[in-house]
Amino acid sequence: MSWRIRDARDFADALEGRARPSSREVASLIAVAERLCEAAAELQPSPAFQTSLRTSLMTEAATVLTATAPPVTARAHRRQISFPVATRRAAIAVAALATTFGLVGMTTASASALPGDTLYPVKRGVENARLALKRGDSERGAFRLELAANRVAEANGLVEHRSVPATLEADTLTAYSEQADQGSDTLVRSFKATDHRADIITINRFANSTAGQLEKLEGKLDGPAAVALAAAQTQLASIVDTTSRLCPACGGIDRDVISALTGPGPATEPGPSSPAPSPPDGAAPQTNPAPGPGPVGGRPAGAGDADEDSSNDSRDDDSSGDSDDASDSDEEESDASDEPEPSPSPRPSPSPSPTPSPSSTPTPAAPKADFTWSGQPGVGNELRVTFRDASSPDAIRWKWDFGDGSPTSQVKNPPRHTYPASGTYAVTLSVSNKSGGSNAVTKSVTVPVR
Amino acid sequence: MFEGRGALRVAIAYALSEPSDRRVVRAIGSRPNPPRDEDDLERIRALIELAQKGDADAFGQLYDRYMTSIFRFVHARVGSPQLAEDITSDTFLRALRSIHSYTWQGKDFAAWLTTIARNLIADHYKSRRTQLEMVTDLPPERASTQPAPDTDVLAGISTQTLMRAVNSLPAEQRDCILMRFIQELSIAETAQALGKSEGAVKQLQLRAVRRLAKVVEKETVT
């Protein structure tokens, strides 16, 4: 039978212009097919018939269609996208232009639109429409990261080509942070449900590329824009922190690029969870209880080799069991040689005990516990809260109870915590120091109804 | 990353949410060819959804797009233009009345319309209790590598003769030829309409064209 299949394929390929006829016979058969197509043109309906049938159908449709329109299903109500007036007008213009000039010109114009341009709302409207058509966490999360990348590209564009009010830059960078946040959260959720590494790798690659772009903006912004930039970098560092915890073996991260996120200077820990702006962090051994060989966080991932190659498999399985997140990383803490690293490789940190701010304050018997938090609304009533430790520098152990029954976290700055429902939560941070003194503080986090 | 498709989608999404805005609906529908790329498929989807929600104009646009294709198929099958007109009318009327039962996952829209047409043709002939379309003697089928007729011979054949030859083929081969070359459906669409795999359609079209070539050769020789 194989000759039949091969012949059939050759013929099909030649018909569609993918290959030249493989034999004289095929060539002749192609000629027959062409003759058929010519004949088709002679089988045209008469214009008179064409029009008269259309008229009859339209008359019929007036009764048939409206009378029996079925109840609107959930799918039809799928998404209500609100269109600002400018987008509406632009949509009509685009649709009309599409038929005459093709979409190319319009596309190029709005694709490169920057905040402040006339066509910029169209660009954002298009993004939203495309997002609405994405299905499933994986797709949606990845697409949000694409949108975030657009924002940072725009931020760079704004800086290079014009002088703009700092608020425009700031807003763009804030939008970046939000999309990065939502996108990575969604992908993390997908990863937790499906274990598809591709989701984490997508985040890593996104972090990689945008970290570089954020870095390019350093020093070029001031005022609110600079603040937004710092927040964006912090955000990204925290995201990378999460992914390396969840899947240390997942590749896509370039260590050097990521360590640049936390900025040069005294905060030498490559750990992303110590954001530049908080000085007291410097002293203590850092964020993550450091497993000797390896990646940050709960997993003493055995094979510490840097597998940047996303196609490698199941490296993270040979660690002692626990594939949970950092909250269970009790046992690693004892090792003071902290290697808080975002990447899976065991590269020792350049200075294991970064001590930019002398912790030579007269050590009280017990540390002072404190923290700050800030929330960003998520989907529905969700609130995504970022907690930042603000305890005294001598604290070396942390334990966070988020007040919603979720597992505790034992790192200095826990990964972003999502409260799914509105309400008030009592969040407790307990800290202890080297000499065994401990303290705790409880604060209320309120998730508003939206 | 930012493709032209995106702009089209926002237009479509807008049209779906504001069906009273006729300008956008019209702008969406007005491409002449049978749908080939994703853009077109999106447009078709939008039109179908609008029609299902009660938009007569959207249905009109669908008619504009597919009318010629269906007509050609029917005309090639039945030979007579008048009969072709009747059956084409019935096809679209039936489609209009059952548009609600059309779901995208089921069948490609072109395949769906073609199926309606085929059924109507079959009904027509069944009800007349006469023999189906024109039949001529068929040479026995062989797996051959004989060259098909010269192009000169081909060019000299009238469309009528050619169509008669097509109609003399076994039903599936005939329909495959009509769908692929008269309606210009894709392999995928043809596969859907015939209820076969794409690989099977490729083999079928080869068999059909080979057979047709032989019939034509025989016709012109005699």
Side-chain angles (χ1 to χ4, degrees), chain B residues 164-176:
Chain B
R164 209 165 46 224
V166 169
N167 277 301
S168 70
L169 300 176
E172 247 191 5
Q173 294 184 11
R174 167 201 67 201
D175 283 346
C176 178

Side-chain angles (χ1 to χ4, degrees), chain A residues 128-441:
Chain A
N128 287 334
R130 291 181 71 195
L131 177 62
L133 295 167
K134 300 281 179 193
R135 299 273 171 264
D137 278 351
S138 231
E139 265 193 42
R140 293 181 62 84
F143 190 70
R144 282 198 193 271
L145 292 187
E146 276 189 42
L147 299 187
N150 280 359
R151 300 290 84 76
V152 76
E154 286 163 9
N156 270 300
L158 284 174
V159 154
E160 273 158 41
H161 297 297
R162 54 189 80 172
S163 56
V164 287
T167 46
L168 212 51
E169 282 275 9
D171 289 345
T172 307
L173 286 169
T174 305
Y176 162 83
S177 295
E178 280 168 6
Q179 287 292 22
D181 188 9
Q182 283 196 34
S184 53
D185 264 15
T186 307
L187 283 169
V188 160
R189 187 165 59 225
S190 170
F191 172 75
K192 283 184 175 167
T194 63
D195 228 42
H196 286 158
R197 292 178 166 220
D199 290 332
I200 297 295
I201 291 169
T202 303
I203 304 178
N204 286 348
R205 290 205 173 121
F206 160 79
N208 232 33
S209 66
T210 54
Q213 292 186 287
L214 289 175
E215 201 190 354
K216 281 201 283 191
L217 290 168
E218 279 176 28
K220 294 183 186 168
L221 306 169
D222 43 33
V227 172
L229 174 62
Q233 288 176 309
T234 303
Q235 171 87 246
L236 193 60
S238 170
I239 289 173
V240 169
D241 187 34
T242 305
T243 60
S244 53
R245 248 191 275 282
L246 284 176
C247 180
C250 288
I253 289 273
D254 180 338
R255 241 174 289 117
D256 298 326
V257 169
I258 297 302
S259 42
L261 269 181
T262 50
T268 36
E269 74 278 350
S273 26
S274 275
S278 37
D281 300 347
Q286 287 325 321
T287 54
N288 310 308
V296 89
R299 236 187 272 267
D305 10 322
D307 81 280
E308 303 288 342
D309 183 346
S310 56
S311 64
N312 278 354
D313 226 325
S314 65
R315 208 71 67 94
D316 47 334
D317 292 338
D318 41 41
S319 46
S320 53
D322 226 334
S323 52
D324 284 346
D325 58 29
S327 45
D328 298 327
S329 48
D330 225 326
E331 54 277 20
E332 313 330 325
E333 276 185 80
S334 48
D335 188 357
S337 72
D338 62 300
E339 324 266 59
E341 288 173 306
S343 73
S345 91
R347 177 186 66 118
S349 100
S351 44
S353 322
T355 320
S357 41
S359 50
S360 51
T361 46
T363 318
K368 178 172 174 295
D370 196 10
F371 66 90
T372 62
W373 64 274
S374 69
Q376 276 176 347
V379 176
N381 272 336
E382 270 183 11
L383 189 73
R384 295 195 188 89
V385 180
T386 306
F387 293 95
R388 286 270 171 268
D389 172 62
S391 306
S392 55
D394 60 325
I396 59 163
R397 279 192 178 78
W398 299 263
K399 182 164 168 186
W400 298 83
D401 183 326
F402 299 106
D404 62 350
S406 57
T408 58
S409 173
Q410 299 189 9
V411 297
K412 182 178 165 71
N413 291 310
R416 205 169 17 267
H417 189 83
T418 301
Y419 291 96
S422 59
T424 303
Y425 301 88
V427 180
T428 306
L429 169 63
S430 322
V431 293
S432 53
N433 61 13
K434 242 187 276 203
S435 40
S438 67
N439 227 328
V441 63

Side-chain angles (χ1 to χ4, degrees), chain B residues 86-151:
Chain B
D86 288 347
I87 293 186
T88 302
S89 303
D90 286 347
T91 300
F92 278 96
L93 208 52
R94 194 175 277 200
L96 175 63
R97 289 182 182 141
S98 54
I99 190 89
H100 301 304
S101 66
Y102 175 79
T103 52
W104 190 255
Q105 284 90 357
K107 256 190 176 160
D108 171 68
F109 197 67
W112 185 64
L113 287 175
T114 307
T115 304
I116 295 178
R118 286 168 84 205
N119 289 341
L120 284 170
I121 293 172
D123 289 348
H124 171 81
Y125 283 110
K126 242 184 291 190
S127 73
R128 291 175 60 188
R129 285 187 307 165
T130 56
Q131 179 53 298
L132 276 172
E133 307 86 306
M134 320 142 250
V135 174
T136 59
D137 274 354
L138 297 173
E141 187 165 2
R142 292 194 302 270
S144 83
T145 51
Q146 284 179 12
D150 283 341
T151 345

